[in-house]
Amino acid sequence: MLPTPPTSTPPPVHLLGVLRTLWRWRRSILITTAIGAVVSIVISLLLPVYFTGYTSFVAISPEQVSIESTFGTNGGRIQFYGTGDDIDRLLSIAESNEVVDYLIDTFNLYGVYNIDSTNRKGPVRVVEEFQRRFSVERNPRDIIELTVEDRDPERAAAMANAARERINEVNLRLIRATHGRNASGLQREADESQRRLDALNERLSELRQTSGVYNTEAQSEALATAASTLDRQIAGTQARLAAFREMSLRDSIAKLTVDLAGLRETRGAVTTQLEKLNASIGQIDNLEEERLQANEALSDSRTRLKQYQSILDGDRRTLEVIEEARTPLVKSSPIRWLIVVASTVLTFLCSVIGVLLLDSSRRYDWGSITR
């Protein structure tokens, strides 16, 4: 007995109904789809063309704009590129009103976007329009990508570069503000050290004038030598005077008596100087030590002030450019073929759904339903 050939399974009844409905309305569906395609073509051709200015950069660590990195006062390893916090700060600055307002004013975006600046809502509208065309993002490699769309390709590139440089200026100003406050504190310390040094110099000068001591070490050595010499001379003169008295040499005795009195008077003056020196030497040495410390503190403060001034006045950057924005040669939007294809497919689906709904609605007696 021969096997019976397999029979094909007929399609479901509801699917046949749908296909019959679509076949019956095929002309309407095709016409509607064609009209949608033509309309989408016309609309896509009327849409304005936009070009995208693109620039990318990386954040530099704030340590690169510090005294330690500039003058090598930090023995540790200095990080060159910024961390996540530094990148987030650049992103926040990029989205700040200062950068947005700067670009609006610099490139006269009221005129570019044809927005009335005298209108009460004009500032809001121009910001909204700009933000739709402006984007700044951090990619997985920690590189910041900034894009600006505009109808003029040259202006798009110029706006992207200007936005990047403005971000650098604002970030550098924030860092320099911190350095400026530190410099102001150092300036106050330097002024205080200068006043303290002036007071010490004045006290030391008065003490030297009253004591007659100007160089403790040299004067101590000189007075000690003079006292020792005078003591030897007095002893020698006394011995000679005693000998001359035994020999009854009156002229020599008179001369030696006068010399001995002079030596004793000189020795008394040296003794007075030594007493003054011993009384003031401790105070003078203490003042000298304090003056030396105050002078060193003043010198350190002035050195750091010069370093801060060098950083505040120098040409510094807080970001490193990877790719400069160039004038784009190819438009970025609109993508006309995608608009046409999407609109045509959407029109076809809507017409199919509409036909099915319309055909299904005819099966019901709407009059009896609404009674």
Side-chain angles (χ1 to χ4, degrees), residues 59-217:
I60 296 178
S61 173
E63 294 179 1
Q64 297 296 321
V65 198
S66 64
I67 291 178
E68 288 75 13
S69 66
T70 304
F71 298 96
T73 57
N74 187 3
R77 186 172 181 269
I78 298 176
Q79 187 172 359
F80 186 80
Y81 294 108
T83 60
D85 293 338
D86 303 318
I87 296 173
D88 291 339
R89 183 172 60 254
L90 289 180
L91 294 175
S92 299
I93 293 173
E95 297 172 351
S96 65
N97 290 333
E98 183 165 358
V99 174
V100 175
D101 293 341
Y102 170 78
L103 295 175
I104 290 174
D105 295 337
T106 303
F107 294 93
N108 188 25
L109 296 186
Y110 281 98
V112 172
Y113 299 150
N114 195 21
I115 297 175
D116 186 7
S117 59
T118 60
N119 191 297
R120 184 172 60 89
K121 295 184 179 180
V124 177
R125 291 175 180 172
V126 73
V127 170
E128 291 176 349
E129 182 66 23
F130 171 76
Q131 290 178 341
R132 282 198 293 267
R133 306 296 176 186
F134 177 77
S135 174
V136 57
E137 296 178 351
R138 169 187 181 180
N139 69 14
R141 296 181 178 86
D142 288 340
I143 296 174
I144 300 176
E145 298 176 328
L146 187 149
T147 58
V148 181
E149 284 187 340
D150 196 84
R151 297 184 184 182
D152 186 350
E154 294 183 356
R155 185 167 56 223
M159 289 175 66
N161 288 327
R164 184 196 64 236
E165 293 305 312
R166 189 62 175 181
I167 293 170
N168 174 68
E169 292 174 5
V170 175
N171 193 33
L172 184 60
R173 189 178 67 213
L174 294 176
I175 297 174
R176 282 178 170 171
T178 302
H179 290 324
R181 288 190 292 271
N182 294 337
S184 299
L186 274 177
Q187 184 63 57
R188 289 191 295 270
E189 291 181 9
D191 295 340
E192 181 63 28
S193 298
Q194 184 64 57
R195 286 192 294 269
R196 181 186 175 192
L197 185 61
D198 293 340
L200 289 172
N201 287 332
E202 185 177 355
R203 289 173 57 192
L204 192 59
S205 177
E206 293 176 355
L207 184 60
R208 282 172 172 172
Q209 288 178 0
T210 56
S211 64
V213 179
Y214 296 94
N215 189 322
T216 56
E217 184 176 355

Side-chain angles (χ1 to χ4, degrees), residues 239-258:
R240 291 171 61 191
L241 181 60
F244 287 158
R245 281 177 178 172
E246 291 178 356
M247 291 182 293
S248 299
L249 299 176
R250 294 181 179 178
D251 293 339
S252 298
I253 291 172
K255 181 179 181 303
L256 288 176
T257 300
V258 173

Side-chain angles (χ1 to χ4, degrees), residues 148-329:
V148 181
E149 284 187 340
D150 196 84
R151 297 184 184 182
D152 186 350
E154 294 183 356
R155 185 167 56 223
M159 289 175 66
N161 288 327
R164 184 196 64 236
E165 293 305 312
R166 189 62 175 181
I167 293 170
N168 174 68
E169 292 174 5
V170 175
N171 193 33
L172 184 60
R173 189 178 67 213
L174 294 176
I175 297 174
R176 282 178 170 171
T178 302
H179 290 324
R181 288 190 292 271
N182 294 337
S184 299
L186 274 177
Q187 184 63 57
R188 289 191 295 270
E189 291 181 9
D191 295 340
E192 181 63 28
S193 298
Q194 184 64 57
R195 286 192 294 269
R196 181 186 175 192
L197 185 61
D198 293 340
L200 289 172
N201 287 332
E202 185 177 355
R203 289 173 57 192
L204 192 59
S205 177
E206 293 176 355
L207 184 60
R208 282 172 172 172
Q209 288 178 0
T210 56
S211 64
V213 179
Y214 296 94
N215 189 322
T216 56
E217 184 176 355
Q219 286 185 255
S220 296
E221 184 178 356
L223 288 174
T225 302
S228 177
T229 302
L230 287 171
D231 289 340
R232 288 196 303 270
Q233 290 178 351
I234 290 173
T237 302
Q238 287 177 341
R240 291 171 61 191
L241 181 60
F244 287 158
R245 281 177 178 172
E246 291 178 356
M247 291 182 293
S248 299
L249 299 176
R250 294 181 179 178
D251 293 339
S252 298
I253 291 172
K255 181 179 181 303
L256 288 176
T257 300
V258 173
D259 291 343
L260 182 60
L263 289 173
R264 286 175 175 173
E265 185 176 353
T266 303
R267 182 65 174 85
V270 171
T271 301
T272 303
Q273 286 294 324
L274 282 172
E275 291 176 352
K276 290 182 178 180
L277 177 63
N278 292 331
S280 59
I281 189 171
Q283 191 174 0
I284 290 176
D285 287 342
N286 290 336
L287 290 177
E288 287 280 2
E289 183 67 23
E290 288 184 26
R291 189 181 69 166
L292 180 61
Q293 293 176 358
N295 196 22
E296 290 178 354
L298 179 61
S299 178
D300 291 341
S301 297
R302 286 177 174 173
T303 300
R304 288 186 65 83
L305 273 174
K306 290 181 180 179
Q307 292 174 347
Y308 272 117
Q309 196 62 39
S310 174
I311 290 178
L312 292 173
D313 296 339
D315 184 14
R316 307 284 174 175
R317 292 188 65 82
T318 61
L319 55 86
E320 193 68 33
V321 180
I322 295 179
E323 185 174 350
E324 190 87 10
R326 300 179 181 179
T327 302
L329 302 177

